[in-house]
Amino acid sequence: MEIQQEIKLAVMRLLARRDYCRYEVEQKYARKYPIDDLDMVLDALEQDGYLSDERFVGAFVRNKLSQSYGLKRISFDLKQKKIPDSLLMRVLDELDPDWFELAQDAWARRFREPPAGDYKVFGKQMRYLLQRGFSMDEARSAIESAGEIED
């Protein structure tokens, strides 16, 4: 029982700073504590509402949206944390982001001027938006609409 109390205190200190998903907590403490005891403590913390993947995903997605990341990047990052797509889609249904507007925001934060016929600059801007997780359509629309605004 003593080891479980130690695990609980360690995890509670961690969760006091920010939300973590269960996978992250397991990864952090798997080498330090016995896995059976860790699982029992994490199950109890989930039941008590201290550890919640849904709350973690909500905070994670809101943070990434505020930084103008696209769906593909957010989805990839959450898959690395073993979060199912169904949970991500449920959170996105509530938030209902406008991906085209987010792509325009990301473009505006990084670039001052549209490519204006320079394919090398256009390629650079497209790669930037694609790496941030936007689709081809969203990236192209953001760059083209920036050109329309500037003209």
Side-chain angles (χ1 to χ4, degrees):
M1 185 68 172
E2 186 176 304
I3 188 76
Q4 289 183 0
Q5 192 65 23
E6 182 183 334
I7 295 170
K8 184 176 181 179
L9 289 174
V11 173
M12 292 292 286
R13 279 194 300 272
L14 182 71
L15 293 173
R17 288 182 239 138
R18 73 167 176 91
D19 278 323
Y20 289 83
C21 67
R22 183 179 177 121
Y23 177 75
E24 288 177 314
V25 176
E26 287 173 347
Q27 292 299 112
K28 183 164 183 65
Y29 293 114
R31 289 191 172 146
K32 188 173 183 179
Y33 299 113
I35 196 70
D36 293 338
D37 291 328
L38 181 61
D39 280 339
M40 287 187 357
V41 169
L42 294 182
D43 288 342
L45 290 174
E46 280 181 333
Q47 271 186 336
D48 294 342
Y50 292 109
L51 181 63
S52 169
D53 280 355
E54 188 161 349
R55 189 173 56 234
F56 166 78
V57 171
F60 184 88
V61 170
R62 282 189 295 279
N63 180 35
K64 292 297 183 183
L65 290 177
S66 72
Q67 297 174 6
S68 298
Y69 280 96
L71 175 61
K72 291 178 182 178
R73 175 69 181 269
I74 293 170
S75 178
F76 176 80
D77 289 347
L78 288 174
K79 281 181 183 162
Q80 299 295 333
K81 298 175 188 301
K82 308 293 186 218
I83 300 294
D85 284 338
S86 60
L87 184 54
L88 171 61
M89 290 306 139
R90 196 169 34 210
V91 168
L92 287 175
D93 284 345
E94 291 175 20
L95 297 175
D96 193 29
D98 182 352
W99 299 110
F100 287 94
E101 185 178 323
L102 285 169
Q104 288 175 341
D105 291 346
W107 182 90
R109 285 181 182 187
R110 179 74 172 86
F111 301 105
R112 298 277 185 244
E113 296 185 20
D118 186 346
Y119 291 110
K120 188 174 180 181
V121 174
F122 179 81
K124 179 180 179 181
Q125 293 180 4
M126 281 293 286
R127 281 190 304 280
Y128 173 78
L129 292 173
L130 293 174
Q131 288 172 350
R132 290 189 72 84
F134 294 103
S135 71
M136 289 290 285
D137 291 339
E138 293 159 352
R140 181 173 281 117
S141 174
I143 294 170
E144 288 174 354
S145 67
E148 291 170 6
I149 294 168
E150 297 292 324
D151 288 342

